[in-house]
Amino acid sequence: MYEDLERDLKRHTKVIKASFSKRKLEVLQYSYKSVQENGNKDADCNVFIEIASIGKKDVKLEEQMELSFFDDSAESGNADKEDAIERWIDEDVEIVVNIYDELGEIILSESEYLLAFKYEGYDTVKILLSLDGQTLKLAKSAKIFCR
């Protein structure tokens, strides 16, 4: 129902690359998807942001997506947190999305954390953008950055 608005917002989204590269990260892809369910007309959406490490431990991007640096204990939730921090990111990274209206005013700012102890060089962050069911209708542009 809101596919055109999703595509328009994506076309008018700017990724602040410097904020990511400072942390040796890059955004590979992002997309907006409406959260409408069961035929309701809710125009709120999720943004999915695909993130990868750059220039870390001489690992090529293609390999990062296939590698896991943890042994089988990681699957049970007992991974060594210090090992993950040492290998990929030094601390948790907050991924932020600002939404702007037709006047260029910020109408929404939401964020989610990329957790250092879970991060293995590649991840996807999902952030809910909610403005009383009107997000895609009111949003004219966006910026994605991290801190």
Side-chain angles (χ1 to χ4, degrees), residues 20-109:
F20 287 93
S21 62
K22 179 179 177 182
R23 290 156 184 86
K24 298 191 188 282
L25 297 171
E26 68 178 326
V27 173
L28 301 176
Q29 167 67 269
Y30 57 91
S31 61
Y32 299 93
K33 296 297 175 195
S34 168
V35 295
Q36 65 180 351
E37 295 177 6
N38 302 324
N40 71 21
K41 299 189 188 296
D42 192 338
D44 285 337
C45 65
N46 285 304
V47 59
F48 297 90
I49 306 167
E50 187 178 32
I51 298 170
S53 291
I54 52 175
K56 193 72 165 178
K57 296 288 184 186
D58 299 320
V59 178
K60 294 179 181 173
L61 176 61
E62 304 82 41
E63 294 170 353
Q64 285 176 190
M65 292 186 264
E66 297 173 8
L67 290 177
S68 173
F69 288 96
F70 301 119
D71 59 21
D72 292 338
S73 66
E75 294 174 16
S76 64
N78 296 325
D80 181 2
K81 293 179 183 181
E82 292 303 316
D83 188 42
I85 292 169
E86 182 180 310
R87 291 179 186 250
W88 296 106
I89 54 179
D90 295 329
E91 58 188 22
D92 296 347
V93 176
E94 185 179 16
I95 310 298
V96 183
V97 179
N98 284 349
I99 301 295
Y100 302 83
D101 66 10
E102 70 278 352
L103 300 174
E105 299 290 327
I106 295 175
I107 56 173
L108 181 64
S109 183

Side-chain angles (χ1 to χ4, degrees), residues 1-13 30-36 42-48 135-137 139-140 142:
M1 173 180 267
Y2 294 112
E3 292 86 3
D4 289 342
L5 293 175
E6 293 166 359
R7 282 191 293 274
D8 284 346
L9 185 55
K10 182 172 179 166
R11 276 194 294 272
H12 294 98
T13 296
Y30 57 91
S31 61
Y32 299 93
K33 296 297 175 195
S34 168
V35 295
Q36 65 180 351
D42 192 338
D44 285 337
C45 65
N46 285 304
V47 59
F48 297 90
T135 304
L136 288 169
K137 293 177 182 176
K140 300 303 176 198

